[in-house]
Amino acid sequence: QFGSFAGQLGDGAAMYLGEVLGPRGERWEIQLKGAGLTPFSRRADGRKVLRSSIREFLCSEAMFHLGIPTTRAGTCVTSDSKVIRDIFYDGNPKSERCTVVLRIASTFIRFGSFEIFKPTDEYTGRKGPSVNRNDIRIQMLDYVISTFYPEIQEAYSDNSIQRNAAFFKEITKRTARLVAEWQCVGFCHGVLNTDNMSIVGLTIDYGPFGFMDRYDPEHICNGSDNTGRYAYNKQPEICKWNLGKLAEALVPELPLEISELILEEEYDAEFEKHYLQKMRKKLGLIQLELEEDSKLVSELLETMHLTGGDFTNIFYLLSLFSVDLDSSKLEDFLEKLTSQCASVEELKVAFKPQMDPRQLSMMLMLAQSNPQLFALFGTKANINKELERIEQFSKLQQLTAADLLGRNKRHWKEWLEKYRVRLQKEIESVSDADAWNTDHVQVMNSNNPKYILRNYIAQNAIEAAENGDFSEVRNVLKLLENPFQESEGFREVKEDAEEEGATASAAACAQETRSRLPYCSKPPLWASELCVT
C-alpha cells in the first residue's frame, strides 16, 4: 500500500455471501461492504458511511455504462445507525450514517491476494500470513486460471509453467488495456495499491477516485496522496509496478525471469496500442492509422493543459468541428471551446500557493543543509511544484480575462489547423465523404461521454441523501446509465409519492444552497474546495 508491504489486505469491511451462476454460465460473486465487524477488521468497526457508499455505488455503475471493465453495485442501503469518522484526518470527527453496498463481480480476487505468501519484507519487517504455503498458492492459481481463464487451462493443461506464463501475459494485457481506458476518460483511481488491482482486469474498490475536470497531467484525486504516487499521469507505470509485485508473488510457480520478460515485452506495447486506438476514435479518425496521430493527440493534450481545458467537454465538442468551417463559424467554434477553458479566477484557485512562505523557506534551507532530514519531511518534486505555483500565481495577478481569452484562442486555432489537415487526409481516402462524416460523428459521439460522475455532482447527491432525500442519487444514476446521450431530460426521476413527501422538506435546504447547473457543466468554483481522502 503506497509502495510498502502492509501485511494485510484492506480494512476488513467486506462480507462474502457466495456466488451465483447465471443462465448463460456466467459467474457472479456477491459481497456486502460495510455490514459490520469481520475477523479482519483490525481496530476498525467494519462499517462504511453514506458518503463513501454513494460514491462507490454511482461510480461502479458509471464505469460500466462507459464500457470500462468494473465491479458492479447491486444495492445501496442506509440506516439510522451512526458511526464517528474523521473525514480529513484533521481532528474534526463527525457522526455519519452507516451504509451497506452490495457489490457484484465475477471475482474479487486481487493481485494482493497472492501476497499472503510473501516472506519477511526487508523494509517493513512484515510478512504474509501464509508464508511458505506454496500448496495454497498452487490451489489459488489452479482456481483462478481454470475458472476465469478456462481457454488457457485447456491449452496448457499438461505444463503448469507454460499455463501460468500464459495467464500472466493475459492479465498483463488486460491491465494495460484497462488503464488505457481510464486515461481516455480522465478517470483517476486514487489508491492503486496491489490490493486494489483485480486478477481479471476489472476496476475495483472505489474510494477517493475522481474524474478529472480541468486537464492536468499531474492531477491528484486523493487528498491523502501527499507525494502524488497515484496521480493521473502515473497510473500506467504504477499498474505496471503492481504487475511486477504480482510476478514476485507467483514464484516459484512462475519463475521471475519468465514473468519479468513478459511484463517488459507486453505491457507498454499493449497500453500504447489500446490508448492510441481509443484516442483515434475520440477524434473521429476512423479511416487511416497514421504515425503522426500520436503527436496530434499529445499536442491536443498540451493545448488542453495550456488553456486549462475541461477534459470531458473539450472532447465532446470536437465532433462539431468540420474541415470546411468558414471564418465566422470557426470563430463561433473557438468561442465554444474557450468557454470550456479555465477562467482567471479558476486558475488563481488552482495555482494558489499551498505552503506558508516561512515553511517553504525553511524547507529550501533544509534541502541544502541536511538532505537526509529534508527527505523525512518532503520531496524535491513537491518543493519544485510549490515554487511553480508561486510563479504561476504571481503571473495570474497581472492577467486580464481578455488577455487569457486571446491567448487561449490562439492556442486552439493552432491545434485545430493540424486537426483539420489530418481530417482532410481521412476525407481524401474515401469515395463518399458524406457517409464518412456520418460515421465520423457517430464514432466520436459514442466514445466521448457528455456525462461523467464529477465530484460536485456526487457531492450534491450526497448532501441531499444526508438530509433524507435520495431522489438526486436516482437522478444521477439514471443520467450515468446514458453517458453518451444528448438529452437533459433526466432531471426529474419520481420516487414513490409516499417517500417523496416525507423527504422533500428535509432535502430543501441542501439543494437550495447551490444553484443547479446542467449535469454536463464544468464544475463551479466551489467544487475546487472539495477534498476526497
Side-chain angles (χ1 to χ4, degrees):
Q1 295 175 349
F2 285 90
S4 297
F5 184 61
Q8 183 194 308
L9 302 181
D11 55 5
M15 290 190 186
Y16 177 61
L17 301 183
E19 67 182 12
V20 175
L21 289 176
R24 291 184 299 277
E26 67 274 32
R27 182 183 299 269
W28 298 107
E29 287 186 9
I30 313 292
Q31 254 189 21
L32 294 179
K33 184 175 178 179
L37 283 169
T38 72
F40 307 99
S41 296
R42 293 183 283 202
R43 289 173 305 217
D45 52 24
R47 297 288 189 180
K48 294 296 175 183
V49 296
L50 185 59
R51 163 181 48 86
S52 59
S53 299
I54 284 174
R55 283 172 54 83
E56 167 145 9
F57 178 77
L58 288 175
C59 197
S60 53
E61 292 306 284
M63 295 291 270
F64 174 75
H65 291 286
L66 285 168
I68 298 173
T70 179
T71 60
R72 302 291 302 276
T75 60
C76 184
V77 180
T78 191
S79 79
D80 294 326
S81 301
K82 300 282 182 74
V83 288
I84 303 296
R85 291 289 186 266
D86 186 350
I87 303 171
F88 303 114
Y89 309 109
D90 61 359
N92 293 296
K94 63 176 273 194
S95 176
E96 297 191 73
R97 278 188 182 195
C98 294
T99 305
V100 179
V101 173
L102 181 76
R103 299 199 300 188
I104 307 166
S106 56
T107 181
F108 287 94
I109 296 176
R110 302 111 189 284
F111 292 8
S113 304
F114 284 88
E115 289 183 288
I116 62 173
F117 313 108
K118 187 177 174 71
T120 303
D121 183 74
E122 61 178 309
Y123 301 107
T124 64
R126 300 188 185 107
K127 62 182 179 181
S130 300
V131 65
N132 296 325
R133 291 298 305 273
N134 195 49
D135 56 318
I136 304 177
R137 178 169 22 225
I138 292 168
Q139 279 185 292
M140 282 177 63
L141 274 167
D142 287 350
Y143 171 73
V144 166
I145 297 171
S146 63
T147 308
F148 306 109
Y149 298 87
E151 65 292 342
I152 290 175
Q153 177 67 34
E154 195 174 332
Y156 301 99
S157 58
D158 56 348
N159 188 318
S160 66
I161 296 289
Q162 286 185 357
R163 181 200 68 168
N164 297 344
F167 152 68
F168 186 75
K169 180 178 177 179
E170 179 60 22
I171 187 55
T172 294
K173 294 174 83 166
R174 285 192 194 186
T175 302
R177 292 194 295 269
L178 177 68
V179 72
E181 291 281 343
W182 292 350
Q183 301 304 96
C184 289
V185 293
F187 174 78
C188 297
H189 185 284
V191 199
L192 285 173
N193 299 328
T194 54
D195 67 324
N196 290 338
M197 300 288 296
S198 162
I199 205 71
V200 291
L202 305 175
T203 315
I204 191 169
D205 267 28
Y206 293 92
F209 67 83
F211 283 88
M212 186 166 52
D213 297 308
R214 177 179 59 84
Y215 177 72
D216 174 7
E218 297 180 349
H219 175 69
I220 300 167
C221 63
N222 178 358
S224 46
D225 183 6
N226 300 320
T227 62
R229 177 180 174 85
Y230 299 139
Y232 169 77
N233 61 349
K234 300 275 184 66
Q235 292 187 136
E237 66 182 83
I238 282 293
C239 287
K240 185 179 182 181
W241 188 90
N242 287 337
L243 280 160
K245 289 295 159 187
L246 174 62
E248 290 174 15
L250 297 180
V251 175
E253 294 311 301
L254 180 61
L256 208 51
E257 58 268 23
I258 296 176
S259 54
E260 285 180 339
L261 186 62
I262 290 169
L263 191 53
E264 285 310 310
E265 287 181 347
E266 301 293 339
Y267 182 84
D268 293 334
E270 188 71 14
F271 172 80
E272 293 296 340
K273 183 177 88 171
H274 195 80
Y275 178 79
L276 191 53
Q277 282 174 347
K278 186 75 176 178
M279 280 295 184
R280 283 193 180 107
K281 290 176 183 175
K282 288 174 78 69
L283 292 176
L285 307 178
I286 58 174
Q287 195 64 29
L288 305 172
E289 293 186 358
L290 305 180
E291 269 189 44
E292 67 201 51
D293 294 345
S294 182
K295 189 180 179 196
L296 184 70
V297 171
S298 297
E299 289 172 339
L300 167 61
L301 296 177
E302 179 60 22
T303 305
M304 266 194 217
H305 193 204
L306 287 169
T307 61
D310 186 272
F311 185 83
T312 300
N313 290 356
I314 294 284
F315 270 113
Y316 188 78
L317 279 172
L318 286 177
S319 65
L320 302 176
F321 180 73
S322 168
V323 293
D324 52 10
L325 289 182
D326 60 33
S327 57
S328 71
K329 285 183 178 173
L330 178 60
E331 190 60 31
D332 289 345
F333 185 69
L334 284 169
E335 288 287 343
K336 286 190 174 79
L337 275 184
T338 51
S339 73
Q340 297 304 322
C341 297
S343 65
V344 174
E345 292 73 24
E346 287 166 336
L347 290 173
K348 283 179 179 177
V349 170
F351 289 103
K352 184 179 178 182
Q354 295 177 0
M355 279 187 191
D356 182 284
R358 291 168 298 181
Q359 181 192 4
L360 179 61
S361 177
M362 186 193 76
M363 295 290 273
L364 287 168
M365 287 169 56
L366 198 59
Q368 293 293 325
S369 62
N370 194 334
Q372 289 163 318
L373 183 59
F374 168 74
L376 298 174
F377 294 101
T379 65
K380 285 186 178 176
N382 281 0
I383 295 297
N384 289 338
K385 197 162 187 180
E386 183 66 10
L387 291 171
E388 185 186 319
R389 271 195 212 99
I390 292 169
E391 184 184 355
Q392 292 282 359
F393 192 73
S394 176
K395 288 178 181 175
L396 287 168
Q397 306 311 307
Q398 318 302 322
L399 188 67
T400 67
D403 289 340
L404 180 64
L405 180 62
R407 190 176 78 184
N408 288 348
K409 280 188 176 179
R410 282 196 304 276
H411 285 311
W412 279 112
K413 205 167 183 179
E414 284 174 20
W415 184 81
L416 285 172
E417 177 55 27
K418 296 171 186 174
Y419 185 39
R420 188 193 66 74
V421 169
R422 177 64 180 84
L423 290 178
Q424 191 64 48
K425 290 179 182 177
E426 290 272 301
I427 293 167
E428 288 167 2
S429 72
V430 298
S431 55
D432 187 339
D434 288 339
W436 170 87
N437 190 59
T438 301
D439 291 344
H440 158 85
V441 172
Q442 191 275 325
V443 167
M444 291 183 79
N445 286 343
S446 59
N447 283 277
N448 292 316
K450 185 172 187 178
Y451 304 107
I452 53 169
L453 185 61
R454 297 178 187 266
N455 268 345
Y456 84 90
I457 292 174
Q459 187 63 24
N460 281 337
I462 288 164
E463 288 183 9
E466 287 179 334
N467 283 284
D469 178 12
F470 298 93
S471 63
E472 183 63 6
V473 177
R474 293 190 177 94
N475 285 350
V476 173
L477 176 61
K478 194 75 176 166
L479 188 85
L480 297 172
E481 287 172 349
N482 297 274
F484 302 102
Q485 49 75 45
E486 283 285 346
S487 168
E488 278 281 6
F490 289 88
R491 186 81 177 270
E492 301 300 325
V493 179
K494 292 296 182 188
E495 303 193 48
D496 295 341
E498 186 181 335
E499 185 180 350
E500 187 177 331
T503 59
S505 59
C509 112
Q511 288 303 297
E512 286 173 8
T513 53
R514 291 172 179 157
S515 57
R516 169 67 65 213
L517 287 168
Y519 289 109
C520 59
S521 288
K522 67 188 182 101
L525 208 53
W526 61 260
S528 62
E529 298 166 15
L530 292 173
C531 177
V532 186
T533 63

